């Protein structure tokens, strides 16, 4: 039986009294000036300058305001947020010295990555000793030891660094309100990383609860490289964008302060341009051929980060570097999210201490606080987004006043255009925005159980609290009642099964009084970030990392694969663990593949690419990248055309394979996947045709044995968006795609339990369980909110549905350019190779490409 103490329900009168008491205890202006002077002295002792935006942040904090600090990476956002609470405590200590002693929890620092917690702790602790502030500063993440957790059960530190999941877990404590009673500030670090995720929604809900308990709570977000900063601030503060801008806000809008770092950090974007540029490129064809230039770049720097876009690419480049420079063993490393925490920590410590010369990494090191020793950053392949490249550039010169430099390493010739376009967009500050979620029912269901375990809730009270978040500001009563009914008794379809009766109603209050349900829920709170992965561990040895089940299904015992830079032999899979032994290095060792590695070209970068191509069509090849690719683009213009931003180029080419239709919307690979399936289906409605499809970020290919009637289909509405949803349902296996997406939603909402430690369910078991529930809901509860959510999410995640709609609307207005080249053009060639790659072995593909390139180059030279 779980005890729910009625004392945790605080009356409005008590809250008001505490708020008034806090106001009365505010330090004098003179005390605040003296405290600020001490902090400025601390800066001066390090020969640092206090930037205006940092002073603005401190003053806004001391005035009781909340808001968002948006400044370039490496300019001191952490200190801008941290010294507000510190100055306040120093000033208060003149009246009460206990405020700078080991005080109760005052500051909650939320970070999106556990890996950032160590760096953050170091940065927060560093100034305290010099200022004689004796606060305890600790972390609470999935990596926190059991002994530390037990200690924090009794008393939380003065400042706690945590993640959204761990914060949510703290809310399930019956004494949570008492533990957070003295909380004054929540700082959400790297807020842009959480904004467009369900973890961000989870944090919004947690903040809404904390604001109920602590009405004077100040909330500050820290962000860089973000396009929609106004919206980001309003989401963080629990409000929606006002209809009219201005100093006055409408009812229900929480006022916020947006502080921008005006000092623009100098960012240099350059390229390692290959000595030879092929006029018929294909994805990845240059890649590791650039290794000698990369080695020279690393040799000339004290320390280097080499960013890749996928974990597989990280493993491949690390092995290639070690093969090229075996003497670098021990001084180079790799870092990605599937490595064991101990390995990642060793790499981060090596970077911090300057012991490592080079680290090959993914976005796992995009973020960070204290990597100042890194003086060179390389980006392998296109960054795919402007903000991503700017964020990675900021890892070099990661200190105020230093110049940041990123050198791009193209993996195929057309990426040179993307690099030049990204530089243009950075100079114009055309950064991508992050779109927040709206009303995710699965996260809401999880939150209902979280609060019921902690202190319980009354329906209308919690509804008003939930609606105070931006994500649920327009939550409909019907959706709320459905979610409450669903977690209380399983909804209409599952009400006969006691396992789905999670809440018990006592009077007007909903509680969880089943210890088993509470224990399973606490273990499931982190499922928002879970992957279907298995732990890789040495026989009688330590863990190495994780791989996904779909990769494991392709290898057998005795075969080798690479992970964490090591060559491993698969021995046996037992109890959800992959047991391996060390194996000699081998070129035949397979590199794991992880899902989620397909990053499409962002809308902002795609638009900048089209502007660069427009300039090229006018003979303007400004910059080294465009000069290098000039022969390729001139050949494209000669054989076909370079489309302008308001034009859609369609190439119709006949080969021995059949009839090729090549469309170039430049809308990113996910949108092109949707468009290729949609256009193929609409073309096939006029006559029975079978199409083979291929896509990349620039366009897509439809290959058929017979010539399609393109003219008539365009006239009949090839680009129509009115019937888009229905047509996508017909042309895609939407039901199967929705079923796969439903597995995540079922985990988050608590429909399926992943199992206890040592008894975890496999991905196939979870898919079978969630698939069965999906079928039950489809047949007997078609209006199930979680079912409908899975269908919406799969369209957005797999096809960027909203961007697809905008692309179709744009195509309706564009001028269609129909060209019939005699042979494959430079833009068409990579699409053809991408299709051949799916059906040919590596050796056969290489031979085929060589023959095709030889023929095309000969034709180009005539």
């Amino acid at each position: 039986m779980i005890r729910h103490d009625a004392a945790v329900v605080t009356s409005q009168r008590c809250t008001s009294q505490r708020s008034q008491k806090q106001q009365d205890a505010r330090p004098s202006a003179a005390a605040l000036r003296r405290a600020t002077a001490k902090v400025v002295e601390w800066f001066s002792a390090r020969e640092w300058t206090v930037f205006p935006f940092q002073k603005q942040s401190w003053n806004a904090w001391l005035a009781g305001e909340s808001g968002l600090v948006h400044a370039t990476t490496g300019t001191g956002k952490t200190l801008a947020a941290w010294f507000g609470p510190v100055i306040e405590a120093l000033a208060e200590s003149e009246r009460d010295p206990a405020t700078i002693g080991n005080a109760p929890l005052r500051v909650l620092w939320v970070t999106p990555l556990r890996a950032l917690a160590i760096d953050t702790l170091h940065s927060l602790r560093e100034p305290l000793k010099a200022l004689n502030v004796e606060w305890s500063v600790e972390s609470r993440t999935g990596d926190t030891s059991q002994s530390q957790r037990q200690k924090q059960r009794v008393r939380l530190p003065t400042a706690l660094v945590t993640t959204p999941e761990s914060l949510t877990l703290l809310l399930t404590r019956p004494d949570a309100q008492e533990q957070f009673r003295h909380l004054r500030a929540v700082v959400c670090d790297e807020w842009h990383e959480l904004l467009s995720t369900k973890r961000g929604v989870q944090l919004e809900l947690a903040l809404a609860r904390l604001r109920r308990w602590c009405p004077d709570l100040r909330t500050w977000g820290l962000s860089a490289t973000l396009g929609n900063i106004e919206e980001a601030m309003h989401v963080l503060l629990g409000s929606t964008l006002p209809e009219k801008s201005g100093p006055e806000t409408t009812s229900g809008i929480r006022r916020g302060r947006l502080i921008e770092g005006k000092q623009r950090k100098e960012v240099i974007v350059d390229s390692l341009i290959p000595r030879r540029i092929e006029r018929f490129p294909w994805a990845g064809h240059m890649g590791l051929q650039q290794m000698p230039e990369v080695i020279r770049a690393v040799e000339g720097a004290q320390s280097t980060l080499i960013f890749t876009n996928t974990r597989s690419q990280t493993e491949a480049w690390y092995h290639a570097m070690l093969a090229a420079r075996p003497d670098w063993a021990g001084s180079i490393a790799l870092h990605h999210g599937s490595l064991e925490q101990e390995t990642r920590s060793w790499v981060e410590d090596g970077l911090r201490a300057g012991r490592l010369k080079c680290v090959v990494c993914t976005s796992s090191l995009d973020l960070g606080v204290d990597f100042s020793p890194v003086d060179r950053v390389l980006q392998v392949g296109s960054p795919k987004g402007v903000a991503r490249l700017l964020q990675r550039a900021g890892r070099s010169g990661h200190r105020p006043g230093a110049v940041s430099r990123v050198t791009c390493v193209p993996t195929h010739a057309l990426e040179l255009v993307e690099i030049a376009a990204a530089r243009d967009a950075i100079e114009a500050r055309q950064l991508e925005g992050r779109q927040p979620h709206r009303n995710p029912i699965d996260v809401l269901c999880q939150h209902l159980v979280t609060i019921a375990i902690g202190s319980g809730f009354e329906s209308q009270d919690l509804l008003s609290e939930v609606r105070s978040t931006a994500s649920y500001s327009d939550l409909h009563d019907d959706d709320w009642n459905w979610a409450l009914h669903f977690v209380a008794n399983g909804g209409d379809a599952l009400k006969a099964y006691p396992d789905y009766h999670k809440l018990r109603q006592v009077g007007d209050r909903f509680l969880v009084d089943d210890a088993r349900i509470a224990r399973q829920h606490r273990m499931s709170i982190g499922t928002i970030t879970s992957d279907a992965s298995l732990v890789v561990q040495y026989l009688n040895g330590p863990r190495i990392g994780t791989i996904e089940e779909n990769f494991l299904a392709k290898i057998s015992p005795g075969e080798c694969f690479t992970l964490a830079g090591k060559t491993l032999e698969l021995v046996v899979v037992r109890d959800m663990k992959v047991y391996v032994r060390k194996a000699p290095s081998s070129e035949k060792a397979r590199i794991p593949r992880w899902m989620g590695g397909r990053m499409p070209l962002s809308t902002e970068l795609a638009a900048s690419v089209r502007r660069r191509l427009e300039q090229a069509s006018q003979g303007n090849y400004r910059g080294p990248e465009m000069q290098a690719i000039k022969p390729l683009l001139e050949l494209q213009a000669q054989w076909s055309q370079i489309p302008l931003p308001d034009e859609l180029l369609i190439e119709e080419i006949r080969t021995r394979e059949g009839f090729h239709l090549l469309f170039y919307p430049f809308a990113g690979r996910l949108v092109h996947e949707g468009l290729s399936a949609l256009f193929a289906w609409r073309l096939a409605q006029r006559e029975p045709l079978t199409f083979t499809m291929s896509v990349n970020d620039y366009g897509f290919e439809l290959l058929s044995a017979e010539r399609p009637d393109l003219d008539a289909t365009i006239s009949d509405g090839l680009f129509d968006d009115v019937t888009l949803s229905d047509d996508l349902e017909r042309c895609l296996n939407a039901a199967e795609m929705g079923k796969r997406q439903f597995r995540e939603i079922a985990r988050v909402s608590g429909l399926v339990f992943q199992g206890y430690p040592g008894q975890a369910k496999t991905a196939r078991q979870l898919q079978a369980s969630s698939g069965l529930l999906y079928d039950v809901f489809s047949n007997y509860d078609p209006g199930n909110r979680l079912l409908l959510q899975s269908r919406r999410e799969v369209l957005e995640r797999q096809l960027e549905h909203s961007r697809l709609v905008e692309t179709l609307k744009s195509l309706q207005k564009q001028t269609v350019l129909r060209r019939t080249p005699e042979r494959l053009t430079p833009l068409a060639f990579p699409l053809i190779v991408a299709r051949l790659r799916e059906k040919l072995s590596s050796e056969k593909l290489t031979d085929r490409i060589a023959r095709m390139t030889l023929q095309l180059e000969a034709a180009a030279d005539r």
Side-chain angles (χ1 to χ4, degrees), residues 147-204:
S147 60
Q148 184 79 348
R149 294 182 189 211
Q150 288 299 326
K151 177 184 170 185
Q152 291 172 357
R153 255 201 174 292
V154 179
R155 188 175 187 274
L156 291 173
T158 312
L160 182 66
V161 179
T162 189
T163 60
E165 297 79 20
S166 293
L167 172 57
T168 301
L169 272 170
L170 291 174
L171 297 183
T172 64
R173 293 182 179 181
D175 64 342
Q177 184 171 357
E178 178 61 26
Q179 289 271 21
F180 287 99
R181 184 163 62 93
H182 299 281
L183 184 66
R184 297 194 185 184
V186 178
V187 178
C188 300
D189 204 355
E190 307 288 1
W191 171 236
H192 56 280
E193 290 294 321
L194 291 169
L195 176 60
S196 60
T197 70
K198 289 183 181 179
R199 297 176 69 223
V201 178
Q202 188 180 46
L203 179 56
E204 284 185 72

Side-chain angles (χ1 to χ4, degrees), residues 688-761:
L689 290 173
T690 300
F691 291 95
T692 303
M693 293 168 280
S694 175
V695 305
N696 63 20
D697 280 316
Y698 293 178
F700 57 92
E701 174 209 23
L702 300 180
L703 171 63
S704 59
E706 303 293 333
R707 184 189 296 276
D709 191 346
L710 183 59
D711 292 303
T713 311
I714 290 176
S715 299
D716 288 349
L718 180 63
F719 307 138
D720 181 33
D721 64 295
V722 177
T723 61
L724 176 61
S725 296
D726 291 339
D727 288 354
L728 285 176
E729 286 276 350
R730 297 186 183 99
C731 70
L732 297 171
N733 191 354
E736 187 58 35
M737 291 169 66
K739 186 178 290 188
R740 288 197 299 270
Q741 181 65 22
F742 187 75
R743 182 176 75 181
E744 175 192 307
I745 290 172
R747 285 203 323 256
V748 173
S749 63
L751 270 174
V752 296
F753 177 54
Q754 295 193 125
Y756 295 106
Q759 304 172 5
K761 297 178 181 178

Side-chain angles (χ1 to χ4, degrees), residues 78-93:
T78 300
L79 300 182
W82 179 232
F83 276 121
V86 171
I87 290 170
E88 185 177 61
L90 285 169
E92 289 176 353
S93 69

Side-chain angles (χ1 to χ4, degrees), residues 559-632:
E559 293 184 335
C560 296
F561 64 96
T562 64
L563 182 64
K566 303 174 177 67
T567 302
L568 308 170
E569 178 188 335
L570 175 61
V571 178
V572 67
V573 180
R574 185 173 60 240
D575 298 330
M576 290 298 290
K577 288 186 179 179
V578 181
Y579 290 97
V580 298
R581 62 169 63 98
K582 288 183 179 179
S585 251
S586 170
E587 292 184 359
K588 295 183 178 179
R590 303 183 65 170
I591 297 176
R593 300 289 176 184
W594 286 271
M595 298 296 287
R598 302 182 310 161
M599 291 191 295
L601 202 66
S602 73
T603 301
E604 287 73 13
L605 185 51
S608 190
V609 165
R610 299 210 71 168
R611 287 191 291 270
R612 274 289 186 163
L613 291 177
E614 180 181 19
Q615 293 171 12
S617 71
Q618 298 166 353
N620 182 356
Y621 291 90
R622 174 174 49 89
E625 293 86 7
M626 298 304 293
Q627 282 294 320
I629 203 173
K630 182 178 179 180
L632 184 154

Side-chain angles (χ1 to χ4, degrees), residues 242-542:
E243 294 181 1
K244 296 180 180 179
S245 60
E248 297 299 323
T249 54
T250 57
S251 176
I253 300 300
R254 183 173 285 110
R255 187 188 299 272
R257 176 81 173 273
L258 179 60
I259 297 176
E260 292 198 68
K262 297 299 182 184
Q263 58 280 356
R264 292 279 289 275
K265 190 171 187 182
E266 184 179 354
V267 178
I268 297 174
V269 178
D270 57 13
S271 308
L272 292 181
I273 298 178
R275 296 177 182 176
R276 180 173 178 268
I277 300 292
E278 296 181 0
R279 288 181 287 186
F280 299 95
W282 47 281
H285 79 283
M286 291 191 314
L288 294 173
Q289 295 177 19
Q290 295 272 70
M291 183 58 72
E293 287 77 12
V294 170
I295 293 290
R296 280 193 287 274
V298 173
E299 286 175 335
Q302 180 181 345
S303 57
T304 304
L305 289 181
I306 300 179
F307 282 104
T308 70
N309 290 335
T310 67
R311 286 169 279 185
S312 302
Q313 205 175 22
T314 297
E315 295 276 348
W317 272 81
Y318 173 79
H319 274 278
M321 287 193 71
L322 210 51
R325 289 297 301 267
D327 57 309
W328 281 357
S331 61
I332 66 172
L334 77 165
H335 189 288
H336 59 71
S338 290
L339 303 184
E340 191 63 21
Q341 173 61 34
E342 184 178 346
T343 302
R344 298 200 305 270
S345 296
W346 180 85
V347 174
E348 292 156 16
D349 289 341
L351 274 172
R352 195 176 296 110
R355 293 191 303 269
L356 291 175
K357 185 171 186 60
C358 175
V359 175
V360 188
C361 56
T362 61
S363 56
S364 58
L365 287 184
D366 269 6
L367 312 176
V369 176
D370 190 22
F371 289 149
S372 54
V374 174
D375 57 11
R376 189 75 188 270
V377 168
L378 303 182
Q379 163 68 41
V380 175
S382 168
K384 302 297 184 183
V386 182
R388 183 179 298 110
L389 185 62
L390 188 58
Q391 180 82 31
R392 292 178 174 182
R395 306 274 27 100
S396 72
H398 188 247
R399 55 191 177 274
V403 175
S404 292
R405 178 187 179 190
V406 59
T407 300
C408 297
V409 184
T411 60
H412 66 85
L414 287 170
E415 286 184 343
L416 289 166
V417 181
E418 297 176 37
I419 295 165
R423 184 191 299 116
D424 293 345
I426 287 174
E427 291 174 354
R429 303 299 294 176
Q430 294 167 338
L431 305 181
E432 294 85 4
R434 307 284 182 99
Q435 297 307 312
H437 280 265
R438 301 295 300 178
N439 299 321
I441 300 298
D442 55 345
V443 181
L444 177 61
C445 289
Q446 184 184 94
H447 186 67
L448 289 172
V449 181
T450 295
I451 301 305
I453 291 173
S455 56
F457 64 87
E458 294 183 9
S459 176
Q460 289 304 308
D461 283 348
L462 187 57
L463 174 58
S464 64
E465 180 180 308
V466 167
R467 280 180 174 160
S468 72
T469 67
S471 289
Y472 296 99
S473 60
D474 58 354
L475 180 69
H476 197 277
D477 284 345
D478 290 345
D479 290 331
W480 170 261
N481 292 328
W482 184 92
L484 185 59
H485 179 56
F486 183 77
V487 295
N489 56 33
D492 294 339
L494 301 176
K495 58 186 177 184
Y497 302 93
D499 280 353
Y500 298 103
H501 297 195
K502 298 187 176 183
L503 307 186
R504 185 168 68 90
Q505 188 170 2
V506 179
D508 294 332
R509 201 160 188 80
F510 289 89
L511 311 168
V512 171
D513 59 1
D514 187 318
R516 180 183 61 86
I517 290 175
R519 185 167 59 252
Q520 289 184 354
H521 179 78
R522 288 189 176 102
M523 294 181 64
S524 299
I525 282 176
T527 54
I528 290 179
T529 58
S530 297
D531 292 320
S533 56
L534 301 176
V535 172
V536 179
Q537 182 172 343
Y538 285 120
L539 279 172
N540 304 316

